[in-house]
């Protein structure tokens, strides 16, 4: 009698384990039904940051982690170092007035404040750039709910300049093609200001950005001045199509050397 009960109990446990394993397997397969590649989605993350801002290093660090985490997906990161912190004790060598002007453009289109670190995703949503949960949620939402307008990009360098060939079928007069020269990684020993004494790491640093009207031509070449100590392994080019009226980014692509 005892043996029968043990056999019955063992059979019941085995059955429950099988059912449990079946349910677990089904749950693990569900995310695969919504593949970002199938949805043709993309995410452009534009971070506005500064070496003179003590709140910015965590956002910079997060961008480096996001770059690794999504390296095989269409996630494009651009870090714009703004110049309005430069008169507060430390001049950011990566900063430019053009970067600050781009942030002001988003302030108008998104009706947002100008602050650092600010992150803008696909030109449509902005929030604090060090908020990991918000960043990851925004990326996943963009990957599954956006449609990427196709851009062909290729880049090559000579002794004096970088040439980028582009081609797209988009010709809406309200849209522009923005082609950006990006340094993948760099670092600075900050000697003054709010981050005095810190060794700061940076990722996806915007150095130059060319804006091209698509009204008359959707194919051509644009050039950048060759940066000092240029190495093809440390740089890349990111292109994106943006509606200048709404700020929404409609497509993006990357070219490596």
């Amino acid at each position: 009698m005892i043996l029968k009960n043990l056999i019955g109990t063992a059979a019941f446990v085995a059955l429950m384990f099988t059912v449990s394993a079946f349910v677990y397997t089904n749950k693990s397969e569900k995310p695969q039904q919504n593949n970002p590649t199938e949805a043709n989605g993309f995410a452009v993350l534009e971070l506005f940051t500064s070496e003179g801002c003590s709140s910015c290093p965590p956002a910079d660090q997060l961008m480096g982690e996001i770059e690794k985490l999504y390296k095989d997906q269409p996630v494009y990161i651009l870090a714009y170092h703004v110049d309005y912190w430069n008169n507060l004790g430390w001049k950011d060598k990566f900063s430019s007035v053009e970067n600050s002007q781009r942030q002001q453009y988003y302030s108008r289109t998104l009706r947002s404040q100008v602050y650092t670190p600010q992150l803008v995703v696909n030109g449509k949503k902005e929030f604090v750039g060090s908020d990991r949960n918000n960043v990851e949620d925004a990326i996943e939402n963009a990957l599954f709910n956006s449609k990427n307008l196709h851009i062909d990009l290729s880049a090559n360098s000579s002794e004096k300049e970088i040439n980028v060939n582009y081609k797209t079928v988009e010709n809406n007069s309200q849209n522009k093609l923005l082609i950006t020269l990006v340094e993948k990684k760099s670092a600075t020993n900050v000697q003054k200001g709010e981050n005095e004494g810190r060794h700061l790491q940076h990722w996806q640093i915007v150095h130059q950005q060319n804006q091209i009207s698509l009204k008359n031509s959707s194919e051509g070449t644009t050039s950048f001045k060759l940066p000092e100590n240029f190495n093809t392994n440390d740089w890349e080019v990111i292109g994106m199509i943006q509606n200048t009226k709404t700020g929404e980014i409609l497509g993006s692509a990357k070219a490596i050397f």
Side-chain angles (χ1 to χ4, degrees):
M1 186 69 174
I2 294 175
L3 180 60
K4 286 184 177 180
N5 288 341
L6 289 173
I7 294 173
T9 301
F12 177 75
V13 170
L15 177 62
M16 291 304 294
F17 178 82
T18 302
V19 172
S20 176
F22 176 76
V23 173
Y24 177 81
T25 301
N26 282 349
K27 284 183 178 180
S28 68
E29 290 175 352
K30 281 185 179 180
Q32 297 177 6
Q33 296 175 358
N34 295 319
N35 193 317
T37 303
E38 294 175 0
N40 195 32
F42 71 100
V44 173
L45 279 61
E46 296 180 85
L47 176 69
F48 295 93
T49 183
S50 172
E51 291 182 341
C53 163
S54 61
S55 301
C56 288
D60 294 330
Q61 180 67 37
L62 179 57
M63 291 304 103
E65 295 172 9
I66 292 294
E67 176 70 14
K68 291 181 180 179
L69 185 63
Y70 291 91
K71 65 179 181 179
D72 297 323
Q73 298 190 50
V75 175
Y76 309 97
I77 300 172
L78 301 98
Y80 298 85
H81 287 239
V82 297
D83 70 341
Y84 50 82
W85 280 91
N86 287 353
N87 59 352
L88 298 178
W90 177 254
K91 184 177 181 179
D92 187 336
K93 65 181 180 181
F94 301 113
S95 67
S96 71
V97 64
E98 290 81 8
N99 291 347
S100 299
Q101 289 171 347
R102 181 149 181 82
Q103 187 179 27
Q104 291 163 6
Y105 162 76
Y106 277 128
S107 177
R108 295 190 297 271
T109 57
L110 299 177
R111 297 181 180 178
S112 68
Q113 295 181 337
V114 173
Y115 63 93
T116 54
Q118 182 183 32
L119 188 72
V120 179
V121 179
N122 281 9
K124 299 190 297 183
K125 182 178 182 180
E126 66 85 22
F127 48 85
V128 176
S130 55
D131 186 340
R132 175 182 288 273
N133 290 336
N134 218 351
V135 171
E136 293 184 347
D137 287 346
I139 291 173
E140 294 301 320
N141 181 65
L143 289 176
F144 286 110
N145 295 294
S146 60
K147 188 173 181 180
N148 197 352
L149 287 179
H150 184 71
I151 309 170
D152 282 325
L153 281 183
S154 63
N156 60 80
S157 61
S158 64
E159 293 183 358
K160 295 183 178 181
E161 64 181 10
I162 293 169
N163 293 311
V164 181
N165 298 316
Y166 62 87
K167 184 178 181 181
T168 177
V169 297
E170 182 59 32
N171 58 7
N172 189 323
S173 61
Q174 288 190 342
N175 297 339
K176 283 189 176 181
L177 176 62
L178 280 68
I179 297 183
T180 310
L181 181 62
V182 175
E183 186 177 9
K184 296 178 183 178
K185 187 177 179 180
S186 189
T188 301
N189 291 315
V190 179
Q191 299 174 9
K192 295 180 180 179
E194 290 191 0
N195 289 311
E196 182 178 357
R198 300 185 66 176
H199 179 76
L200 299 184
Q201 295 281 349
H202 306 301
W203 287 264
Q204 297 299 108
I205 308 157
V206 170
H207 279 257
Q208 302 174 56
Q209 186 173 81
N210 295 345
Q211 297 191 19
I212 302 164
S213 173
L214 298 174
K215 182 179 180 180
N216 299 319
S217 177
S218 57
E219 180 178 358
T221 301
T222 190
S223 299
F224 298 106
K225 181 181 178 181
L226 194 73
E228 293 183 7
N229 302 316
F230 177 78
N231 183 324
T232 56
N233 294 325
D234 299 332
W235 297 75
E236 65 186 22
V237 172
I238 294 176
M240 52 189 175
I241 297 174
Q242 184 168 40
N243 184 299
T244 56
K245 184 176 181 180
T246 66
E248 181 179 0
I249 295 174
L250 307 171
S252 190
K254 179 169 65 176
I256 57 177
F257 295 93

